[in-house]
Amino acid sequence: MKRSNAIRPVFWLATMFAIVFLVRAESGDRRTSPHTMSAPLAPIQIVDQDGRPAVSGVPSATSTIVDVTVAPGGSFTFNPSTVNISVGDTVRWTWAGSGHSVTSGPPCVADSQYCSPNDMNCASGILSNSGTVYTHTFSQAGAYSYFCAAHCAFGMTGAVNVSGGCTPSGWSAGPTMPTMLVRAVGVWFPTDGNFYTMGGRTADTAGSDFQHVLRYSPVSNTWTQMGVTLPDNTMNNMACGVLAVAGTPYIYCVGGSAAGQTTATARVFFYNPATDTATTLTGADNWPGNAAGTILPGGFAVTNDKLYILGGFNINVASTNQIWQFDPNGAVGSKWLQRVNTPEGIMYAPTCAINGIIYVGGASDYSGGTVIDTTNSFSFNPTSNTTGAITAIPRATGETRALTFNGRMLVIGGGRVTPNPSTEVDAYDPVSNSWAVNSPVPMFTTARRNFPTDTDGTTRIWLGGGYASDGVTPLNSMEIFCAAAGASPTPTPTATTTATATATPTATHTPVVTPTATATPTATHTPVITPTATATPTATHTPVVTPTATATSTATATTTVPPSPTPTATACTGRCSPTPRPRFTPRPRP
């Protein structure tokens, strides 16, 4: 019995040893089987119709977040290097290594559309360390390249392909604006893809000035009143545009008036959508075109990171004909440069820039104590400082904007003289020097004038507010144009002619208000990036209004003006195009 009890532990130990041995042997057999020795299957890669890898198959436009790793495993790469998403999707970059950036633009050239860590100072190429997370939501279709500022030369680049776009095609009603709004400026801000309205007023009564910014988001299709309060109440009839300082874009605004007043400001301020803040420049950088304190900006356009103001309205007196260039990167007190005069006085003028040339199609004028519409049309070449003749717009209009859309100038509605205000869209092609009516963009729905509007340049146009067809009632309705089928190609200029150098600017249609340069410019008063100007008018605003221009801008006779047909310099006496004489209306509200 004792012997039996002693044998049992030995038996159990032997049994356990045998079981372990058999399990290990079976495991070893599995590892050496032909099936398990084969190479692991490669991950399935989904591509689009162009053969480009798609991160998650066919992306949706429901605010999908797509992840990209920056410098995985210490490499100089983005993984994946190319992502395909839809409008409204967000890309989220996460740093696995230190000393890298996400900087938008073609390889090694920042374009300031987006950048880590916060879409500011893109040109600086700010580097971030491991653990950093940066996101950007893409609100319009297109191909967006980016790179690492420190390692672009090593091939550390990426691309985001954004498909889809707006629907439905054509014009459709947008959401109602938070308030009635007239005489505001519409600005599309490429960095975040949103449409902003700057200032304006809610009615024509004193005290109705709107010192706020409205933001329309194409992604959420909603309006938001921003928290900022703009610097003053002179928010009507400003000139605004997107300009970059050291690679960071802002919305700059110049001039303006208040409801019920016949005076105007010359101040300049800029708004930063990223921080929702506004900053006023010093008085040394006030707009010299309003030295008298009664002039509103005329047409305005941005090209080559400079804002140009063409003409103006000396309130209840006359239109003006000066052209002024504003350089946001110029030294304090040296940001403005006077250019050649316009062929005739223009105000509330539809103006835009195409391939570096500024075009005017229609404009208001002041005659017989009232504002009237005209067909004044011409071009201005900032490089050669010359104006040129173009075919006149088919209808008289004014008090509206012109937009650059797929290489054409679109003049959007506007006008106050019957049958205006209008819903007509006139398109000027600088290549053929011809106009088309309601093509390729058709007329919109509600006639209006003095309304904020802008475009992303290829796909969408936004407009809202303004005065209704009776020319009196403020609106808060919105309309959106969508080119759902995709953008048409930008025309390639084929007509090239040589510009003729112009003489020293002479005021021809400014009976009251051309500033005189009365002080000798200091050594620091040379505008940045304007090497052709040998002297510039001082930014000190004197009430003297003798029409003497002391800044002679020298144009090189061989400078080529690609898009402008027959760009010979013109200096008309009287009117260069017929001006309709309407029925008299009450004294205009500036």
Side-chain angles (χ1 to χ4, degrees):
M1 187 70 179
K2 290 182 180 178
R3 182 177 180 181
S4 175
N5 291 338
I7 292 174
R8 277 180 190 171
V10 174
F11 174 80
W12 285 112
L13 287 172
T15 301
M16 293 176 64
F17 178 81
I19 291 172
V20 171
F21 178 81
L22 290 173
V23 169
R24 290 177 59 86
E26 182 179 3
S27 175
D29 287 344
R30 286 177 180 170
R31 287 196 300 268
T32 59
S33 67
H35 175 73
T36 56
M37 283 295 290
S38 62
L41 294 176
I44 296 175
Q45 185 179 50
I46 303 174
V47 298
D48 62 11
Q49 66 271 21
D50 299 316
R52 296 175 299 197
V55 173
S56 303
V58 179
S60 67
T62 55
S63 299
T64 299
I65 297 177
V66 176
D67 285 295
V68 175
T69 303
V70 179
S75 65
F76 294 154
T77 62
F78 298 100
N79 186 30
S81 60
T82 300
V83 297
N84 297 321
I85 63 175
S86 288
V87 169
D89 289 347
T90 297
V91 177
R92 178 170 57 198
W93 288 269
T94 302
W95 271 244
S98 296
H100 303 285
S101 79
V102 170
T103 305
S104 70
C108 310
V109 181
D111 63 10
S112 298
Q113 292 192 62
Y114 60 94
C115 64
S116 60
N118 56 8
D119 291 326
M120 298 179 66
N121 301 312
C122 291
S124 301
I126 299 173
L127 306 181
S128 299
N129 295 324
S130 180
T132 298
V133 176
Y134 162 67
T135 63
H136 184 79
T137 300
F138 292 83
S139 59
Q140 70 165 357
Y144 299 85
S145 300
Y146 66 92
F147 59 92
C148 171
H151 305 105
C152 181
F154 294 92
M156 192 170 180
T157 61
V160 179
N161 298 313
V162 185
S163 61
C166 54
T167 55
S169 178
W171 289 100
S172 61
T176 300
M177 302 173 70
T179 182
M180 307 290 183
L181 192 64
V182 300
R183 300 184 182 276
V185 181
V187 180
W188 177 64
F189 196 65
T191 302
D192 60 19
N194 294 321
F195 170 65
Y196 292 85
T197 69
M198 304 300 296
R201 66 190 189 220
T202 59
D204 286 336
T205 55
S208 62
D209 308 291
F210 192 67
Q211 288 183 241
H212 304 287
V213 174
L214 298 180
R215 180 186 69 197
Y216 170 74
S217 167
V219 174
S220 63
N221 192 33
T222 57
W223 284 98
T224 302
Q225 180 172 314
M226 307 303 289
V228 68
T229 299
L230 298 177
D232 51 56
N233 70 328
T234 53
M235 289 291 116
N236 308 296
N237 307 303
M238 297 185 294
C240 301
V242 177
L243 301 170
V245 177
T248 300
Y250 305 98
I251 299 175
Y252 275 80
C253 291
V254 179
S257 61
Q261 295 184 5
T262 56
T263 58
T265 184
R267 63 93 186 89
V268 179
F269 74 89
F270 64 86
Y271 172 68
N272 185 348
T275 59
D276 191 29
T277 55
T279 304
T280 303
L281 275 59
T282 67
D285 290 316
N286 282 356
W287 174 42
N290 183 26
T294 58
I295 302 175
L296 294 171
F300 54 91
V302 171
T303 184
N304 193 29
D305 200 34
K306 296 178 180 63
L307 173 68
Y308 292 85
I309 297 178
L310 287 73
F313 180 28
N314 185 22
I315 300 173
N316 294 339
V317 176
S319 58
T320 66
N321 68 344
Q322 294 178 347
I323 299 178
W324 288 91
Q325 169 190 293
F326 175 79
D327 182 355
N329 292 287
V332 174
S334 301
K335 299 182 186 296
W336 289 98
L337 174 67
Q338 187 175 6
R339 314 299 282 159
V340 65
N341 290 332
T342 62
E344 53 227 325
I346 58 173
M347 62 195 212
Y348 301 139
T351 309
C352 72
I354 304 174
N355 296 327
I357 307 298
I358 296 174
Y359 295 90
V360 175
S364 299
D365 201 358
Y366 195 73
S367 177
T370 188
V371 175
I372 61 173
D373 309 324
T374 77
T375 59
N376 294 337
S377 304
F378 62 91
S379 66
F380 167 63
N381 185 335
T383 301
S384 61
N385 191 30
T386 56
T387 60
I390 68 171
T391 302
I393 187 172
R395 65 185 173 105
T397 190
E399 299 184 84
T400 187
R401 289 281 301 279
L403 307 177
T404 303
F405 193 75
N406 293 312
R408 292 176 172 84
M409 172 171 66
L410 303 183
V411 178
I412 310 292
R416 74 162 58 204
V417 179
T418 304
N420 289 330
S422 173
T423 60
E424 185 170 307
V425 178
D426 297 275
Y428 174 73
D429 183 347
V431 175
S432 62
N433 187 30
S434 63
W435 291 87
V437 178
N438 298 323
S439 177
V441 175
M443 67 174 63
F444 50 96
T445 303
T446 303
R448 59 186 86 206
R449 65 173 171 87
N450 298 101
F451 55 92
T453 182
D454 206 356
T455 177
D456 63 9
T458 58
T459 306
R460 283 178 274 199
I461 300 170
W462 303 275
L463 61 83
Y467 296 102
S469 57
D470 61 7
V472 176
T473 305
L475 299 171
N476 63 353
S477 62
M478 180 192 191
E479 296 184 49
I480 303 170
F481 176 76
C482 167
S488 60
T490 300
T492 302
T494 56
T496 58
T497 51
T498 303
T500 304
T502 60
T504 302
T506 303
T508 61
H509 195 66
T510 311
V512 185
V513 286
T514 304
T516 302
T518 56
T520 302
T522 63
T524 62
H525 196 63
T526 302
V528 176
I529 323 175
T530 49
T532 58
T534 57
T536 59
T538 179
T540 302
H541 306 302
T542 63
V544 180
V545 293
T546 305
T548 302
T550 58
T552 302
S553 301
T554 304
T556 304
T558 58
T559 303
T560 300
V561 191
S564 294
T566 63
T568 55
T570 59
C572 303
T573 58
R575 302 203 183 282
C576 292
S577 58
T579 301
R581 296 297 178 184
R583 63 173 181 261
F584 287 98
T585 58
R587 180 176 292 273
R589 301 181 180 92

